[in-house]
């Protein structure tokens, strides 16, 4: 059944829409409370749980997608039960199964095309794989492009964790030692979307998780660091209702589970009106060589062209963006075009390394020139240094520290802190962050954002040795003891044992239920309050039109939902003439416009001070003495600390 709605991202029309994000503020900030908050974007509701993770056991699902002509295969509704232990047990199990799954998937050979012939069969195979702890079977149900995206880097990460003895060698495709699942009373509801190749599966079952703490593959490093722990205290056997929604995608005539599409569908389901999924997506456009992939991305960034940026991303990782992109890019591009930024790449020096279908492109030099809101600037990344010039001021991240600066002086009172700095220097002193990971797909090269993040994380892990971690754990409590603020950290947050004498206590997860009465898969995983809901003041700040925002604040105040003091002063007294400028951002005004506004509006606010309706301390920084600003718009000045100091001294901060 089709959804007749049209997907348009919120436009600044005043009805629950979010104003476009303002350009970055100046790097200087006034004292707390000196500047009223800018209009806030409407908060987006987070999914009610993490999405399906490839190669892992059953996680908590995102919000159930509203059914549309559902097809149901029912073995009876699950009976709801409560437990204080099962969520932690499930989390432990998911992590452990994920570790095993990484290795299992790497052994997938040809012959089995994976997936299932129908969404109903896919759900049935998922329940069977969970029940049998069949990690290989679970991985076989995942969309191939996502399997390829995650399996290799996850394998390497687990290899490093094994080398560091954080985890011990995991089991194979038949499961993980010490963890078992049992699935009963299963049911599935198939919810079609407006396209034939994407459906949502509402899955319900009773899930029994059994954990044998003595058999868990915990690495020797953790065992040695955590003294006097009875691993039998980790034993768990709990049954809970499993209630989650996963998205299935058809590819090559087979149906697969998709983590990325599950996220997209959870977001789409929360939108009102619910938008359509585009029938066709953005065509990927990469480069003919590894360096060309980065150049294609930079060309899109240079022109602030969202479609070109998305098209340059690895199709395996960005398949959701490619598919859903046409539904929102036009309006999003229109908003981006309003940003007063124009720039161009004036020079690049890219070097590709590696072999095969995955390479790393190092950016040895990148030069940019442009104008932001009429102000010219230059940026240059060269030899790992960032250099910037704007308004005659120059910044160089690689300039030497002042002669008077010394870590020894800074940490004079803490020998442990000096040792920690020395340790970090020894471990990471020669550390070089890798470049941008690119992958070849269908003869073209594309930027791989997920691959880049994995590679950066792997670089950090590879720089570590077990003894480095042990030394770090030893030093951190001493540093906190020497330098930590007792109000923040307490007198000794770790005690003699950095992990406490017994980190688990008599009950490894506490006598009470730390996750509320509903349990891990209950009706409301967020407790009585439910998922995050924007309050009245959030809804007002999300409005783009200042008149509608004023009306929103006044109505909320009239019914007692907010206090008058919560309304920005410029909007509380719009008759003073500063409401629109403050709501849209003072930084957009020229120096002459800003000073003129202050000179006109300040006397009005001072009248309310004299009448006792507001105190002088409530006056926003923008309404300070115009002479303090020296004829300049403080809100649009970048990187002039001496000017900042003069302004604050004049105002009296």
């Amino acid at each position: 059944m089709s959804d007749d709605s049209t997907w348009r991202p919120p436009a600044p029309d005043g009805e629950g829409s979010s104003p476009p994000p303002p350009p970055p503020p100046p790097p200087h900030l006034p004292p707390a409370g000196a500047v009223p908050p800018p209009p806030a974007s409407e908060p987006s509701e987070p999914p009610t749980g993490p999405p399906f993770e490839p190669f892992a056991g059953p996680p908590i699902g995102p919000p159930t997608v509203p059914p549309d002509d559902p097809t149901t295969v029912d073995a009876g509704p699950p009976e709801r039960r409560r437990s204080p232990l099962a969520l932690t047990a499930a989390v432990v199990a998911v992590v452990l199964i994920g570790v095993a799954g990484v290795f299992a998937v790497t052994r997938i050979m040809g012959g089995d095309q994976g997936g299932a012939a129908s969404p109903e069969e896919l759900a049935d195979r998922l329940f069977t794989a969970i029940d049998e702890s069949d990690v290989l079977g679970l991985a076989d149900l995942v969309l191939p492009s996502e399997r390829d995206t995650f399996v290799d880097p996850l394998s390497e990460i687990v290899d490093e964790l094994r080398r560091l003895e954080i985890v011990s060698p995991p089991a194979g495709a038949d499961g993980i030692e010490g963890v078992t699942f049992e699935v009963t009373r299963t049911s599935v509801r198939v919810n079609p979307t407006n396209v034939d190749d994407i459906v949502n599966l509402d899955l319900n079952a009773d899930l029994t998780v059994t954990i044998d703490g003595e058999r868990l593959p915990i690495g020797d490093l953790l065992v040695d660091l955590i003294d006097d722990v009875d691993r039998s205290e980790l034993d768990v056997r709990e049954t809970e209702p499993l209630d989650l929604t996963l998205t299935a995608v058809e590819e090559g005539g087979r149906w697969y589970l998709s983590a990325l599409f599950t996220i997209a569908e959870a977001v789409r389901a929360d939108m009102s009106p619910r938008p359509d999924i585009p029938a066709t997506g953005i065509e990927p456009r990469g480069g003919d060589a590894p360096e060309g992939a980065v150049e294609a991305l930079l060309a899109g960034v240079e022109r602030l062209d969202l479609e070109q940026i998305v098209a340059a991303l690895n199709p395996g990782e960005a398949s959701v963006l490619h598919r859903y992109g046409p539904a929102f890019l036009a309006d999003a591009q229109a908003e981006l075009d309003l940003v007063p930024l124009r720039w161009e790449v004036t020079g690049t020096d890219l070097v590709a390394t590696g072999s095969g279908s995955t390479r790393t492109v190092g950016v040895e030099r990148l030069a940019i020139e442009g104008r932001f809101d009429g102000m010219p600037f230059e940026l240059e990344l060269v030899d790992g240094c960032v250099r910037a010039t704007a308004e005659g001021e120059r910044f160089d991240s690689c300039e030497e520290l002042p002669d008077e600066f010394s870590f020894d002086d800074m940490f004079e009172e803490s020998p442990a802190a000096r040792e920690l700095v020395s340790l970090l220097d020894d471990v990471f002193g020669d550390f070089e962050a890798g470049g941008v990971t690119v992958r070849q797909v269908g003869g073209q090269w594309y930027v791989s954002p997920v691959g880049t993040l994995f590679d950066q994380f792997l670089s950090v892990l590879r720089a570590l040795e077990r003894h480095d971690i042990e030394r770090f754990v030893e030093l951190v409590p001493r540093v906190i003891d020497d330098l930590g603020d007792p109000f923040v950290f307490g007198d000794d947050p770790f005690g003699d044992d950095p992990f406490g004498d017994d980190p688990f206590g008599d009950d490894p997860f506490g006598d009470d239920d730390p996750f509320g009465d509903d349990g891990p898969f209950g009706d409301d995983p967020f407790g009585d309050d439910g998922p995050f809901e924007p309050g009245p003041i959030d809804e007002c700040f999300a409005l783009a039109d200042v008149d509608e925002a004023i009306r929103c604040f006044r109505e909320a105040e009239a019914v007692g939902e907010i206090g008058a003091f919560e309304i920005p002063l410029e909007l509380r007294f719009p008759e003073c003439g500063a409401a629109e400028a403050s709501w849209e951002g003072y930084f957009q005004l020229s120096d002459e416009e800003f000073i003129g506004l202050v000179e006109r509006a300040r006397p009005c606010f001072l009248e309310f001070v004299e009448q006792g309706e507001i105190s002088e301390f409530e006056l926003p920084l923008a309404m300070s003495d115009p002479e303090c600003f020296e004829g300049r718009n403080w809100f649009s000045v970048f990187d002039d600390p001496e000017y900042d100091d003069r302004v604050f001294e004049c105002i009296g901060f």
Side-chain angles (χ1 to χ4, degrees):
M1 181 179 296
S2 296
D3 184 340
D4 295 329
S5 58
T6 301
W7 191 356
R8 297 186 301 273
D13 57 7
E15 286 188 30
S17 63
S18 302
H28 52 260
L29 295 174
V35 181
S41 297
E42 180 179 358
S44 59
E45 294 182 8
T48 59
F52 174 77
E53 297 180 13
F55 333 125
I60 307 169
T64 299
V65 177
D68 186 5
D69 189 22
T71 302
T72 302
V73 178
D74 200 340
E79 179 180 328
R80 304 283 174 178
R81 289 189 287 275
R82 309 290 187 239
S83 167
L85 304 181
L87 179 57
T88 305
V91 170
V92 171
V94 166
V95 172
L96 295 174
I97 289 295
V99 170
V102 167
F103 289 93
V105 176
T106 60
R107 294 197 294 271
I108 292 180
M109 303 295 289
D112 186 355
Q113 54 189 324
S118 68
E120 294 84 0
E121 181 186 333
L122 183 67
D124 184 64
R125 291 187 63 182
L126 173 64
F127 284 134
T128 300
I130 295 173
D131 185 65
E132 297 177 356
S133 297
D134 182 3
V135 178
L136 184 58
L138 282 171
D140 203 34
L141 304 179
V142 176
L143 194 65
S145 60
E146 294 181 17
R147 188 191 305 157
D148 294 341
T149 294
F150 293 103
V151 76
D152 286 340
L154 285 175
S155 278
E156 294 183 62
I157 287 174
V158 174
D159 280 339
E160 292 302 317
L161 295 178
R162 291 179 60 192
R163 179 182 63 82
L164 294 171
E165 300 182 23
I166 294 173
V167 300
S168 61
D174 293 332
I176 186 75
E177 186 160 354
V179 181
T180 59
F181 294 111
E182 298 173 47
V183 180
T184 58
R185 299 171 59 84
T186 63
S187 68
V188 57
R189 182 190 300 267
V190 180
N191 297 321
T193 65
N194 65 285
V195 293
D196 294 333
D197 60 336
I198 299 174
V199 300
N200 293 293
L201 306 177
D202 291 342
L203 305 171
N204 291 274
D206 274 2
L207 174 67
T208 299
V209 181
T210 303
I211 296 181
D212 183 347
E214 293 289 348
R215 298 167 59 199
L216 290 177
I218 299 174
D220 290 343
L221 173 61
L222 296 183
V223 172
D224 292 344
L225 290 177
I226 306 175
D227 297 328
D228 302 325
V229 174
D230 183 359
R231 291 175 60 173
S232 66
E233 293 176 351
L234 297 173
D235 292 351
V236 170
R237 181 175 174 81
E238 295 294 334
T239 300
E240 289 292 341
L242 172 67
D243 182 4
L244 72 158
T245 296
L246 301 177
T247 298
V249 179
E250 185 183 26
E251 184 176 283
R254 304 286 290 178
W255 287 88
Y256 300 90
L257 296 171
S258 168
L260 300 179
F261 277 82
T262 294
I263 297 172
E265 280 297 282
V267 172
R268 190 176 75 93
D270 283 342
M271 300 179 68
S272 180
R274 186 150 53 107
D276 278 345
I277 302 172
T280 58
I282 296 171
E283 182 180 355
R285 299 189 301 275
D288 295 330
E291 297 89 343
V294 176
E295 290 171 350
L297 181 68
L298 287 175
V301 173
E302 182 180 44
R303 291 194 286 268
L304 300 181
D305 185 335
L306 290 177
E307 180 173 339
Q308 184 168 348
I309 292 172
V310 171
L313 301 180
N314 176 11
E317 300 174 13
S319 57
V320 170
L321 291 176
H322 290 166
R323 179 63 180 272
Y324 287 75
F328 66 87
L329 281 188
D331 287 341
Q333 185 67 58
E335 299 294 341
L336 185 60
D337 290 341
L338 297 176
V339 177
L341 172 65
R342 297 294 179 268
W343 58 5
E344 63 176 337
V345 177
T346 57
T348 59
D349 188 0
L350 308 176
V351 178
T353 57
S355 61
S357 61
T358 300
R359 308 286 178 88
T360 299
V361 177
V363 183
E364 297 192 352
R365 179 177 178 268
L366 174 64
I368 294 173
E369 294 182 5
R371 301 181 73 86
F372 177 77
D373 200 19
M375 180 188 72
F377 67 88
E378 295 179 7
L379 291 173
E380 184 180 30
L381 172 65
V382 57
D383 296 330
C385 302
V386 178
R387 297 166 183 165
T389 302
E391 288 193 333
E393 299 291 335
R394 184 177 180 274
F395 167 79
D396 189 334
S397 65
C398 289
E399 288 183 347
E400 294 183 2
L401 293 173
D403 293 338
E404 62 271 14
F405 181 87
S406 168
F407 278 113
D408 289 340
D409 294 338
M410 182 177 178
F411 298 131
E412 182 178 1
E413 302 300 323
S414 176
R418 294 199 297 272
E419 288 186 57
L420 180 60
V421 170
S422 177
L423 171 64
L424 294 175
D425 184 60
D426 289 342
V427 174
F428 298 109
D430 297 329
F431 176 80
E432 292 185 6
V436 178
T437 299
V438 299
R439 289 199 170 96
Q440 188 178 38
V441 180
Q444 290 277 296
W445 290 88
Y446 300 90
V447 171
S448 177
V450 174
T452 300
L453 291 175
F454 273 129
D455 289 344
Q456 298 290 343
F457 183 60
L458 275 166
S459 296
V460 173
L461 288 179
R462 288 166 179 156
L464 290 169
E465 299 292 340
R466 169 176 168 155
H467 60 81
D468 298 324
I469 299 175
E470 291 174 320
R471 185 63 174 154
F472 182 82
V473 171
E474 175 190 350
L475 288 172
V476 167
R478 292 169 50 193
V479 173
I480 294 176
D481 189 53
D482 289 346
L483 304 177
D485 184 347
F487 179 77
V488 177
F489 297 106
D491 292 332
D492 188 350
F494 295 103
D496 296 332
D497 180 350
F499 292 93
D501 294 331
D502 186 353
F504 298 103
D506 296 333
D507 180 347
F509 305 107
D511 296 326
D512 298 323
D513 184 350
F515 303 102
D517 295 332
D518 287 328
F521 307 111
D523 296 327
D524 186 359
F526 289 87
D528 295 335
D529 293 333
F532 173 79
E533 293 286 348
I537 195 167
D538 300 308
E539 295 172 358
C540 296
F541 272 116
L543 297 173
D545 184 83
V546 64
D547 293 329
E548 293 189 8
I550 293 172
R551 182 165 54 252
C552 178
F553 283 117
R554 285 178 173 172
E555 290 174 354
E557 180 191 7
V559 297
E561 292 179 328
I562 64 173
F565 67 94
E566 296 181 84
I567 305 175
L569 207 64
E570 293 94 335
L571 275 63
R572 188 172 157 195
F573 299 101
E575 57 265 46
C576 291
E580 182 174 0
S582 68
W583 198 245
E584 294 181 355
Y586 288 121
F587 60 86
Q588 300 188 50
L589 302 177
S590 66
D591 291 345
E592 182 179 358
E593 291 171 335
F594 175 75
I595 297 301
L597 174 67
V598 175
E599 290 176 342
R600 292 190 302 272
R602 176 175 163 80
C604 176
F605 285 109
L606 292 179
E607 285 186 20
F608 288 109
V609 172
E610 293 177 2
Q611 296 169 13
E613 295 195 42
I614 58 177
S615 71
E616 188 170 357
F617 296 101
E618 289 182 78
L619 286 178
L621 182 142
M623 293 301 116
S624 302
D625 189 335
E627 294 182 0
C628 293
F629 296 114
E630 303 176 2
R632 304 167 69 183
N633 181 351
W634 179 87
F635 293 88
S636 64
V637 175
F638 291 82
D639 195 24
D640 192 344
E642 294 181 358
Y643 171 60
D644 292 342
D645 293 340
R646 294 196 304 271
V647 170
F648 293 142
E649 181 178 359
C650 177
I651 293 172
F653 284 122

